[in-house]
Amino acid sequence: LTQYPIMQLINAAIALLALPAVSAFAPTAPALGVRTFSAPASFNFELEAKKSIEDLSDAELKGKKVLVRCDVNVPLDGKKITDDTRIRSSIPTIEYLKGKGAIVTVCSHLGRPKDGPEDKFSLAPCAERMSELLGQDVTLAPDCIGEGVAAIIDAASEGDVIMLENTRFYKEETKNEP
């Protein structure tokens, strides 16, 4: 079968069409995050259930560096945040990771800077507000890439939170380039 990838794709599509219609809100099936279905004997594969952060064990998080892409693109009046809803919505995930002993690094964008770094698009107000909401310091890295940023993350301890500077300070972020 591996010699004919097109046939495998067609067989998989037919198998999916043969599945009974189910609700997106149906309870998840068997343990260990694996769902199986009834299909002809020639179709033998399993679909893996979608995982969430709570599926990660303590051992998988303790002492590990975790990068979280958050939406902290908040409205600003100068350097003053006028609505912190987006920052607040990221707090439960960050708290969960911190509670499991992870070293949390947050990245995001803010606004639409034209030609590289602009002070008015710095994530400094967001890091300050996140610090207030978490009740601990959130270190704002001076950039989002580079050896200096790597050194800050490497020096962090379990439960620390680091926010990387605006990813849109680089054209690759908006142009979807590597």
Side-chain angles (χ1 to χ4, degrees):
L1 275 174
T2 57
Q3 295 174 348
Y4 305 103
I6 301 287
M7 286 304 295
Q8 284 181 318
L9 180 62
I10 292 169
N11 288 340
I14 292 169
L16 289 173
L17 290 173
L19 289 174
V22 295
S23 166
F25 301 102
T28 56
L32 301 175
V34 176
R35 294 184 186 165
T36 58
F37 66 93
S38 216
S42 61
F43 303 111
N44 186 15
F45 62 92
E46 297 176 338
L47 300 176
E48 196 170 317
K50 185 176 180 181
K51 292 190 175 192
S52 75
I53 196 167
E54 283 117 7
D55 293 321
L56 297 172
S57 70
D58 291 1
E60 290 176 299
L61 292 172
K62 187 163 179 58
K64 299 292 177 20
K65 297 170 185 154
V66 179
L67 177 65
V68 181
R69 176 78 186 223
C70 293
D71 180 4
V72 298
N73 190 17
V74 295
L76 295 170
D77 183 10
K79 291 282 186 187
K80 185 178 185 298
I81 296 171
T82 58
D83 181 0
D84 67 356
T85 303
R86 292 178 175 182
I87 297 171
R88 285 180 178 279
S89 69
S90 65
I91 298 300
T93 299
I94 295 167
E95 287 280 8
Y96 181 84
L97 291 167
K98 282 181 9 163
K100 298 293 182 178
I103 299 162
V104 182
T105 302
V106 173
C107 69
S108 187
H109 70 269
L110 179 66
R112 296 187 184 277
K114 299 278 186 239
D115 299 312
E118 294 182 50
D119 189 52
K120 69 180 182 178
F121 294 117
S122 171
L123 290 179
C126 300
E128 185 179 323
R129 182 62 184 137
M130 188 174 279
S131 292
E132 293 168 2
L133 293 169
L134 290 170
Q136 74 175 70
D137 285 339
V138 171
T139 303
L140 178 65
D143 204 340
C144 61
I145 59 172
E147 292 177 15
V149 174
I152 291 169
I153 294 169
D154 288 340
S157 303
E158 291 179 9
D160 284 353
V161 180
I162 301 134
M163 184 177 287
L164 304 181
E165 189 51 275
N166 195 341
T167 58
R168 283 205 178 150
F169 286 167
Y170 291 89
K171 65 178 173 51
E172 294 85 356
E173 165 71 6
T174 55
K175 296 189 189 281
N176 242 356
E177 294 177 2

